[in-house]
Amino acid sequence: MSTEWIRLVGKQWDTHPEIQKDLKNFNATWEYYIEDRPDIPHVMLFCKAGKVIYAGPSDGRRRDFIMWTSMDNWKKILSGELSGKAALMTRKLKFKGSMMTAMKYMTPFNIHLSILGEIPVDFDI
């Protein structure tokens, strides 16, 4: 989950028309981190009207959603072995933010998590 990785996630996000359509009236900032790897900096995305306008290191701005879990659980989520909804419901993926909003936008949320898995990740760090 490097700066380069989150920037590639942002570029991939903008190629998904379903997200653009479902989030056309939605603005939010997400932060991600690996709870058992404090040496790896937090990264974030800022989405405005369904398009990513910032993807990079967490810069201190207000975050609407924060998602974190262990390295092992990130591997499962990003590989598709564990769905985003299942990870949230079992609290394997910790979440801070409006759960009502997350549930309202579950389809784009799941696409979002699948996009995270589309970008190659080096877990041997």
Side-chain angles (χ1 to χ4, degrees):
M1 293 186 141
S2 65
T3 298
E4 178 184 334
W5 176 81
I6 199 68
R7 287 186 178 139
L8 291 171
V9 167
K11 286 180 184 178
Q12 189 71 0
W13 168 296
D14 285 339
T15 69
H16 284 265
E18 311 94 302
I19 288 183
Q20 313 302 303
K21 180 179 161 250
D22 291 349
L23 298 180
K24 66 182 176 194
N25 298 312
F26 185 72
N27 303 328
T29 304
W30 289 265
E31 180 175 279
Y32 315 88
Y33 69 93
I34 303 167
E35 68 184 347
D36 54 348
R37 290 298 305 270
D39 57 312
I40 299 175
H42 298 201
V43 293
M44 67 189 311
L45 287 175
F46 176 44
C47 160
K48 186 172 183 178
K51 297 221 177 246
V52 171
I53 62 168
Y54 176 81
S58 186
D59 63 6
R61 75 179 83 193
R62 182 182 68 81
R63 283 118 32 235
D64 299 292
F65 304 100
I66 303 172
M67 293 185 285
W68 70 97
T69 191
S70 67
M71 177 72 84
D72 188 52
N73 283 334
W74 273 123
K75 288 178 185 179
K76 290 176 184 174
I77 293 165
L78 298 181
S79 73
E81 181 182 335
L82 179 62
S83 77
K85 186 175 183 177
L88 281 173
M89 293 298 137
T90 59
R91 303 229 0 107
K92 290 182 179 176
L93 177 62
K94 280 83 168 189
F95 176 87
K96 184 176 180 182
S98 169
M99 186 58 77
M100 284 182 56
T101 301
M103 291 306 189
K104 179 180 177 181
Y105 295 106
M106 188 52 67
T107 297
F109 176 74
N110 277 324
I111 294 169
H112 169 193
L113 286 177
S114 75
I115 290 169
L116 296 179
E118 291 172 10
I119 307 303
V121 179
D122 179 7
F123 286 111
D124 296 323
I125 50 175

